[in-house]
Amino acid sequence: QVQLVESGGGLVQPGGSLRLSCAVSGSIFSMYAMGWYRQAPGKQRELVAIMTSGGITNYADSVKGRFTISRDNTKNTVYLQMNSLKPEDTAVYYCNGKRTVGDYWGQGTQVTVSS
C-alpha cells in the first residue's frame, strides 16, 4: 500500500519561505510523476507543480519563479520550496503521486501566509 505523508506547512509572513516535504512509502520509482496541488477555501483543487520521473517540471503560472519542486530518490521524498510567499498562496497543499493504475494523495498540509 502506497502512502504519501506531507509535512512542513505552517504560518508564514508575506515574503517568507517554506519547504514542504512529501515522504513516499514504498518506492518513489513506481510513480511516473510526482506533484503538488493546493486547495483554498471555496476553490477547486489546482496543480501547483509537477515533476516527471525523467525530471521534467511544470508549474502553475502563479508560482513560476517562486516555487521549486525537487525530489531525493534516496529518501523517497519530494519537496516543494516556496519563496516570496503571498497571501493568495494560502491553501491546503497536497502531495500527489501518479501511477498507471491511478493517483495517490497525501492528507494535506496547511500553509497560511499572513501578517
Side-chain angles (χ1 to χ4, degrees):
Q1 181 73 14
V2 176
Q3 288 187 319
L4 280 60
V5 180
E6 302 102 332
S7 60
L11 173 64
V12 64
Q13 292 187 342
S17 298
L18 281 175
R19 189 178 78 158
L20 305 183
S21 299
C22 173
V24 182
S25 67
S27 174
I28 197 171
F29 294 104
S30 68
M31 306 292 181
Y32 67 80
M34 295 291 302
W36 289 93
Y37 290 71
R38 68 186 180 188
Q39 187 166 18
K43 294 187 176 182
Q44 289 188 331
R45 190 173 297 188
E46 62 175 359
L47 174 68
V48 176
I50 192 166
M51 173 182 277
T52 69
S53 57
I56 297 172
T57 59
N58 192 33
Y59 296 90
D61 288 342
S62 60
V63 307
K64 282 181 181 177
R66 300 188 298 123
F67 290 12
T68 303
I69 187 171
S70 63
R71 60 193 285 168
D72 185 336
N73 292 336
T74 64
K75 296 182 179 181
N76 278 344
T77 301
V78 177
Y79 303 98
L80 184 68
Q81 178 67 44
M82 305 186 293
N83 299 327
S84 303
L85 282 160
K86 305 175 181 179
E88 51 264 42
D89 294 318
T90 295
V92 178
Y93 284 70
Y94 297 91
C95 180
N96 170 265
K98 298 187 183 297
R99 297 174 68 183
T100 53
V101 296
D103 283 21
Y104 295 86
W105 294 92
Q107 82 286 354
T109 184
Q110 176 71 44
V111 172
T112 302
V113 184
S114 175
S115 55

